[in-house]
Amino acid sequence: MPFGNNTKNQWGSKEILYDAVITQKAMADAYDTSAAESITPNLRNEFLGLMKDEQEILFELYTEMQKRSWLPVQMADQAQVTSARQKYQPANP
């Protein structure tokens, strides 16, 4: 599957990183589901540990993509932060 301007079906660094992100997300989702459906604490903890490992790998991939300007990051202004905080803050009893 070609990405961007790559029409020769040859993947460069950008395509490889994007593919790695997709793969790691799928693995993290699978471990999350497996942890939720585990019937023993030991098995659940194993899946949670594996999921944490996948999340760390994803963080590293996203960090590398951002360094290469392949993942634009838009900083939220204070009004957006305040709005989101109010929207998701639990109601006080």
Side-chain angles (χ1 to χ4, degrees):
M1 171 186 204
F3 288 86
N5 295 329
N6 192 341
T7 58
K8 297 179 182 178
N9 290 332
Q10 295 177 347
W11 287 20
S13 298
K14 187 174 186 177
E15 293 82 16
I16 292 169
L17 279 173
Y18 274 100
D19 185 65
V21 165
I22 291 167
T23 301
Q24 295 307 129
K25 286 172 118 179
M27 293 301 298
D29 286 345
Y31 290 139
D32 179 53
T33 300
S34 297
E37 296 175 355
S38 295
I39 59 172
T40 65
N42 288 343
L43 183 59
R44 179 179 180 271
N45 289 335
E46 284 297 318
F47 282 124
L48 289 174
L50 291 168
M51 185 178 66
K52 183 180 182 301
D53 292 344
E54 297 302 325
Q55 294 293 336
E56 290 297 322
I57 293 168
L58 272 168
F59 179 77
E60 291 173 12
L61 290 170
Y62 280 123
T63 300
E64 185 60 33
M65 291 169 70
Q66 184 184 14
K67 285 180 192 175
R68 297 177 185 211
S69 298
W70 296 340
L71 185 68
V73 177
Q74 178 183 353
M75 300 301 289
D77 63 31
Q78 189 56 45
Q80 291 172 311
V81 172
T82 301
S83 175
R85 186 176 290 139
Q86 290 171 346
K87 182 177 179 179
Y88 295 105
Q89 187 173 12
N92 292 330

